Amino acid sequence: MTKPDSQKSSTDSRVSGEDGRRILRRDPRPHLFRPISFRSVETRNRIMLSPMCQYSAVDGMPNDWHLVHLGARAVGGAGIVCTEAVHVAPHGRITQHDLGLWNDDQRDALARIVRFVSAQGAVPAIQLGHAGRKASVGRPWEGSGPVTPLDGGWETVSCSGLPYAAAWPAPQPLDIDGIRAEIEALAQATRRAREAGFRILEIHAAHGYLIHQFYSPLSNSRDDLYGGSFENRIRFLLESLDAVRREWPDDLPLFLRLSVTDWVEGGWSMDDTIRLVRILKERGDVDLVDCSSGGNDPRQSIPIHPGYQVPLAQKVREATGMATAAVGLLNAPDLAESIVANGSADLVLLGRGLMADPHWPLRAANSLRAADVSWPVQYERSNIF
């Protein structure tokens, strides 16, 4: 597994000068463009396409849009190209237009994308998720509000019967058999992700979706083994990780996206995250924590600005020794470089920035004067970089 300070030790070397003194030779490459390894997987740089829903699937099936969208980011130089949230069950989709991995046809269609992304030198990654009580909503350009069963939606489930917001329907609380069924669906989706050829798996446990609903006291009002105490509220997450690791090879990395704070008084906090990540570090099944925040309560108050979540990733990294990823408005190459160079995080995730410019990594490499960057030979004569 990767150590958080690995980029400092693996790229510098000491040699002897003519007078016998030891000279430290530093890697001339920008930190953003130095490889990093997680278990058996090495990435060509520290840039990862953040999972960004495209709301363009039919019955959970990927299509040419997904191939071109993800393939273009691989061609554009990202080190890790991650799918949008791929849902483990039909009722776990955010919208009816989201990707799924509950059948083999979906697996086979995703495998086509995996092959193309890999052929461009990027590491193919997949994020698996379940929206819980935040499922069955419209697409952003349709208002993102709840969609009723009469309009093509479905009944949602969660740890408790608490709705996300006042105007939202109350979800059906999962009983023990229901919890086991959701965890098994995650395990089977993990198996299919492995069979499709993905090299990194990320579990979506953030942004107010099902796993987050369990661990946050704002959404969990249970009084059994899955509610109440901190240990009980994280039980669903830990059992989910156990199920995933039974299907995901030991030599392949497992990432976990967390909402590090709810940004609401009385909700999940940074202290809770550090406590959880120390447990994960001791268990050894998670290789990196993707540090996001919020999404579980409309009362949240988030101080949004470029790099606003970087301190979250840095604090988790420093307090636990776990590798972390920073995400959120990191579109300036100098900012992205400083995050890795200063040890604030091990990876930089770009979502909207890479949506707007699939060649952001190549442009950043030029801006940071990176050498030995792999450029698509088909585009070299454009002289636009």
Side-chain angles (χ1 to χ4, degrees):
M1 290 186 291
T2 300
K3 298 179 181 178
D5 61 352
S6 62
Q7 70 270 28
K8 298 179 180 179
S9 61
S10 63
T11 56
D12 297 340
S13 62
R14 289 186 180 274
V15 297
S16 296
E18 292 182 0
D19 58 0
R21 290 182 301 173
R22 302 293 283 171
I23 302 171
L24 178 64
R25 286 186 176 172
R26 297 195 179 277
D27 192 320
R29 292 171 295 182
H31 291 76
L32 192 62
F33 288 91
R34 299 182 187 181
I36 188 170
S37 295
F38 299 95
R39 300 192 186 228
S40 67
V41 175
E42 182 177 86
T43 75
R44 60 188 173 188
N45 57 48
R46 310 300 181 90
I47 302 165
M48 175 173 165
L49 171 64
S50 188
M52 295 288 288
C53 287
Q54 299 297 294
Y55 310 106
S56 300
V58 177
D59 295 328
M61 286 285 291
N63 52 45
D64 287 349
W65 176 267
H66 302 93
L67 172 66
V68 173
H69 168 67
L70 296 170
R73 277 73 199 168
V75 170
I80 302 172
V81 171
C82 190
T83 68
E84 62 193 83
V86 178
H87 297 92
V88 303
H91 63 275
R93 290 173 294 170
I94 303 168
T95 80
Q96 62 178 311
H97 306 284
D98 291 334
L99 289 179
L101 195 48
W102 59 81
N103 65 48
D104 291 350
D105 289 340
Q106 295 161 343
R107 175 201 64 194
D108 296 344
L110 284 167
R112 175 191 180 208
I113 297 173
V114 167
R115 290 191 295 270
F116 184 84
V117 167
S118 299
Q120 312 316 309
V123 176
I126 185 170
Q127 185 189 72
L128 295 180
H130 188 305
R133 68 179 184 175
K134 291 181 73 175
S136 190
V137 301
R139 292 179 287 191
W141 53 88
E142 297 169 341
S144 297
V147 177
T148 68
L150 291 176
D151 294 321
W154 54 89
E155 186 179 69
T156 63
V157 300
S158 184
C159 53
S160 305
L162 304 175
Y164 169 66
W168 288 52
Q172 178 66 35
L174 290 164
D175 58 18
I176 298 301
D177 287 341
I179 287 174
R180 290 172 179 164
E182 300 296 0
I183 292 175
E184 179 60 21
L186 175 60
Q188 293 307 310
T190 298
R191 172 182 59 80
R192 292 189 177 98
R194 180 192 76 228
E195 293 169 349
F198 287 100
R199 302 287 291 165
I200 295 175
L201 175 68
E202 177 169 282
I203 301 303
H204 198 347
H207 300 167
Y209 298 129
L210 185 60
I211 294 177
H212 187 180
Q213 291 161 30
F214 269 89
Y215 67 70
S216 172
L218 298 178
S219 45
N220 188 337
S221 62
R222 300 177 74 101
D223 58 5
D224 61 0
L225 288 175
Y226 292 90
S229 68
F230 173 88
E231 291 79 8
N232 284 353
R233 285 185 285 110
I234 68 170
R235 190 182 306 277
F236 182 73
L237 167 58
L238 298 185
E239 291 182 356
S240 296
L241 293 175
D242 288 339
V244 166
R245 266 298 173 199
R246 285 195 295 270
E247 295 290 347
W248 193 243
D250 288 340
D251 67 329
L252 294 182
L254 176 61
F255 293 178
L256 179 68
R257 172 165 278 190
L258 290 175
S259 278
V260 173
T261 174
D262 280 333
W263 298 108
V264 177
E265 186 69 28
W268 184 262
S269 68
M270 171 60 77
D271 289 342
D272 292 325
T273 293
I274 290 173
R275 185 178 176 187
L276 169 62
V277 175
R278 284 174 175 161
I279 293 171
L280 300 178
K281 181 74 172 177
E282 180 67 24
R283 285 164 53 100
D285 43 15
V286 171
D287 300 281
L288 176 141
V289 172
D290 177 358
C291 295
S292 194
S293 64
N296 195 41
D297 193 302
R299 296 173 296 171
Q300 66 189 17
S301 179
I302 304 177
I304 296 178
H305 55 80
Y308 71 101
Q309 293 183 137
V310 174
L312 306 180
Q314 181 172 3
K315 190 167 184 178
V316 171
R317 190 177 190 268
E318 292 175 347
T320 67
M322 178 72 78
T324 63
V327 62
L329 302 181
L330 307 179
N331 298 332
D334 287 345
L335 174 58
E337 167 69 8
S338 69
I339 290 167
V340 180
N342 294 331
S344 299
D346 300 271
L347 294 179
V348 173
L349 273 63
L350 282 85
R352 292 173 177 85
L354 268 170
M355 287 174 67
D357 181 3
H359 297 100
W360 188 96
L362 294 179
R363 297 183 191 277
N366 184 60
S367 174
L368 297 171
R369 303 181 187 279
D372 300 324
V373 175
S374 178
W375 298 38
V377 294
Q378 296 93 332
Y379 292 170
E380 284 182 347
R381 66 185 184 275
S382 67
N383 294 320
I384 62 172
F385 299 112

